[in-house]
Amino acid sequence: MQVINGKEVAASVLTKVQQDIEALKQAGVVPGLAVVLVGEDPASKVYVGSKVRKCAELGMNSRKIALPTETTQQELLKVVAELNADSSIHGILVQSPPPPHIDEAAIVRAIDPRKDVDGFHPENVAKLVLEDPSGFVPCTPLGCMQLIKSAGVETQGAHAVVIGRSMIVGKPMASLLMAKGADATVTVAHSRTRDLAQLCRTADIIVAAVGRPEMVTADFVKDGAVVIDVGINRVEDASREKGYRIVGDVKYSEVVQKCRAITPVPGGVGPMTIAMLMANTVKACRQQALL
């Protein structure tokens, strides 16, 4: 049984990213990422901070734009338009979720698709489905594919069950797995799927991205399956100093006994998301600089 170490795989991705950044600098270009944060959401602040720090570590130009909670839709659209026009910024990320009065879909559509390093703009969604490599793929599913490859998992002809149908993970994950080269047979399931455990037991690969703590138990997994756990859930735990612990969508202690390979939480998919964001920003820089 193999525990897939996301920190190690992310480190190897970032080594390549750093080499690419140095090559771009030699050509006179420094990749630039702008991260826009609206409001005071504590988790969002942590995520934004980690992205900005990673840019600094890699020698990438980063700009953090923190806006107050009461920022209007029009004010946010103006910030996005300014970043679209700024040639030193190659990637734009508006941290999700914004405050409730902001129309997030409209903000995503306003980002120049060439700078949409999150891969959520309709043009990039279409490019993913069309298997156009010039597009940007959402960072978490892109990272999941790297983890699957790093574990030497044969996807061709395999049955993959993706639990979750979000535009952030589930739908792009299914597209990546069924694309030419990966060639998996994919079933997309969700919280309303009938006989979900029975369906999952037919899977060679399970990607759990449903946002329900430890929902995938041993009963869901056939012997020798590969399990990729995208979930990050906080559950109360009085025995811990902080009063909670972080768990995935998979009940690790049960499932680890049955599977061929599994990602832990934390330390599995999480580190890959930022690594792929950095890789997408370098790709955006190269495409915009025509290098």
Side-chain angles (χ1 to χ4, degrees), residues 4-14 50 54 139-140 143-144 147 229 232 263-278:
I4 304 171
N5 189 324
K7 290 180 181 176
E8 285 183 3
V9 180
S12 70
V13 170
L14 290 171
S50 60
K54 189 58 68 179
C139 302
T140 300
C144 289
L147 292 173
D229 188 354
I232 301 177
T263 59
V265 176
V269 173
M272 295 302 298
T273 300
I274 287 184
M276 302 323 296
L277 173 65
M278 299 297 124

Side-chain angles (χ1 to χ4, degrees), residues 127-197:
K127 284 184 173 182
L128 171 58
V129 176
L130 293 167
E131 300 182 27
D132 179 339
S134 71
F136 295 97
V137 177
C139 302
T140 300
L142 192 58
C144 289
M145 289 301 292
Q146 288 277 352
L147 292 173
I148 289 168
K149 288 174 188 171
S150 77
V153 176
E154 179 57 75
T155 55
Q156 190 171 35
H159 180 210
V161 172
V162 178
I163 313 172
R165 51 182 167 176
S166 73
M167 291 303 300
I168 297 171
V169 182
K171 288 176 182 174
M173 190 76 228
S175 293
L176 288 169
L177 283 163
M178 73 173 77
K180 288 184 182 70
D183 299 313
T185 300
V186 182
T187 303
V188 178
H190 44 80
S191 58
R192 297 192 179 185
T193 299
R194 292 177 189 163
D195 301 321
L196 180 57

